[in-house]
Amino acid sequence: MKFLQQFSDELESLVAKAMPAVVAVQHAQGHGTGLFLTPDGYVLTNRHVVRGRGRLTLELHDGSEVRAELVGADAPTDLAVVRAEAGAKFPTLPLADPHDVRVGQWVVAIGNPFRLEQSVSMGVVSAINRTLPLPDGVILEGLLQTDAAINPGNSGGPLLNMHGQVVGLNTLVLPYAQGIGFAVSAATAAWVASLLIQRGKVDRRFLGIAATAITLPAPSAQEAGQLRAVRIMKVGPGTPAADAGLEAEDLLLGIDAWPVTNVDDVQRLLALATGPEVRLEVLRKGRRRTLRARTTPREHSKAA
């Protein structure tokens, strides 16, 4: 009983500290949730929450309202950044280290489901690195799955660990299931938000692969010098990947000297690439290879 009371007290304290950084995002066609990323008013939310609207209203924790302007949105991750027009110093929430997010961890979702402001639900991280297709053809990758209750209006709100850190941004639920919700990981949110704030958009480059993240068996991990990599499932004919010599079953270890451990790393490093050519570190049948691919710009894609 003492343990339960302590857990309850700590949970109450966590929510109380987090609430001021969570906002309701409103416009004439809908509503959702967002969270302050920076003290000067940059707010992270879902793209489908803002629906491409230029001017929005943010309702703060104390019930006051401020106007906000859309900074940028990214369809492949369903993320958007808006900025509050008021010049106040806003409270923020820290992002969790993605390596500390594990299946079975307790998490708390905060949001405004069905316009029920500042609602809290609790559950666990049910799975990581989930992939889901959206009706518009975009495929969301690297998602966290949770059984914390998420409903319409929760979208864009934080999924917090027991340290009060954001592990993900609540994004969607399966309409035909109960207790299955999904969040864009904090790792994805961090780099996408950074580019949206800097550039107003995410310029992606097309490589032409379908891939999945795997944990390497011990011999491959020793040869690669890392525990995880991305397995190439398919190489599109006539794509930059095919021209570079990538093959199905290759293990992609790095891009431009940066390690690759999941599909989100591939997306991020392609987006951050400054030139038309990227260097690919590959493990093929136990041997390391270095390939060079001349990537091409893309608007949207179902693969990297």
Side-chain angles (χ1 to χ4, degrees):
M1 182 65 70
K2 183 177 180 181
F3 168 77
L4 291 177
Q5 185 60 55
Q6 181 180 356
F7 181 77
S8 177
D9 291 343
E10 291 177 355
L11 179 60
E12 181 181 353
S13 176
L14 181 155
V15 171
K17 291 178 181 178
M19 279 289 193
V22 181
V23 300
V25 181
Q26 303 174 352
H27 55 85
Q29 280 69 44
H31 75 289
T33 309
L35 60 98
F36 281 114
L37 276 179
T38 64
D40 56 346
Y42 284 103
V43 172
L44 180 66
T45 186
N46 281 135
R47 174 179 175 268
H48 75 262
V49 168
V50 298
R51 299 179 186 274
R53 299 286 166 177
R55 292 184 66 80
L56 306 155
T57 300
L58 305 180
E59 182 177 341
L60 306 185
H61 174 65
D62 61 5
S64 62
E65 294 184 350
V66 298
R67 300 291 291 176
E69 191 78 19
L70 177 63
V71 174
D74 182 54
T77 57
D78 193 25
L79 294 173
V81 171
V82 303
R83 189 175 189 182
E85 294 180 353
K89 184 176 182 180
F90 297 101
T92 62
L93 286 172
L95 301 181
D97 186 326
H99 298 98
D100 293 335
V101 181
R102 296 181 295 276
V103 173
Q105 287 181 325
W106 286 104
V107 285
V108 174
I110 302 178
N112 304 286
F114 299 107
R115 297 189 184 274
L116 298 173
E117 290 83 0
Q118 301 173 356
S119 295
V120 178
S121 58
M122 188 173 184
V124 298
V125 175
S126 304
I128 58 177
N129 289 321
R130 291 296 198 207
T131 299
L132 283 179
L134 298 183
D136 59 3
V138 170
I139 296 178
L140 296 180
E141 298 175 306
L143 298 175
L144 304 180
Q145 180 183 326
T146 181
D147 64 347
I150 297 174
N151 291 286
N154 272 113
S155 293
L159 189 68
L160 303 168
N161 62 19
M162 292 296 101
H163 300 291
Q165 301 167 328
V166 179
V167 299
L169 200 74
N170 301 320
T171 297
L172 57 88
V173 294
L174 294 181
Y176 47 83
Q178 293 183 348
I180 303 179
F182 298 91
V184 177
S185 73
T188 300
W191 70 263
V192 171
S194 175
L195 290 177
L196 290 177
I197 291 172
Q198 294 175 36
R199 308 174 185 173
K201 61 179 180 177
V202 178
D203 293 317
R204 284 179 165 76
R205 293 192 165 273
F206 175 65
L207 188 56
I209 59 172
T212 186
I214 65 165
T215 299
L216 295 173
S220 296
Q222 184 174 6
E223 175 65 27
Q226 59 194 66
L227 297 177
R228 291 178 61 81
V230 167
R231 173 177 286 156
I232 308 300
M233 308 298 292
K234 181 180 179 181
V235 177
T239 63
D243 293 342
L246 269 178
E247 299 178 0
E249 299 305 316
D250 281 349
L251 299 178
L252 182 58
L253 305 177
I255 296 177
D256 286 342
W258 293 97
V260 165
T261 60
N262 53 51
V263 176
D264 184 66
D265 285 341
V266 179
Q267 303 283 9
R268 173 176 56 85
L269 292 170
L270 289 177
L272 294 174
T274 56
E277 186 176 88
V278 293
R279 190 171 78 253
L280 309 176
E281 297 297 329
V282 173
L283 190 65
R284 179 183 299 168
K285 297 179 180 179
R287 295 182 59 188
R288 293 183 70 109
R289 298 169 180 260
T290 299
L291 306 176
R292 296 185 179 275
R294 293 190 65 83
T295 56
T296 57
R298 63 175 176 139
E299 291 295 327
H300 306 295
S301 177
K302 299 179 183 180

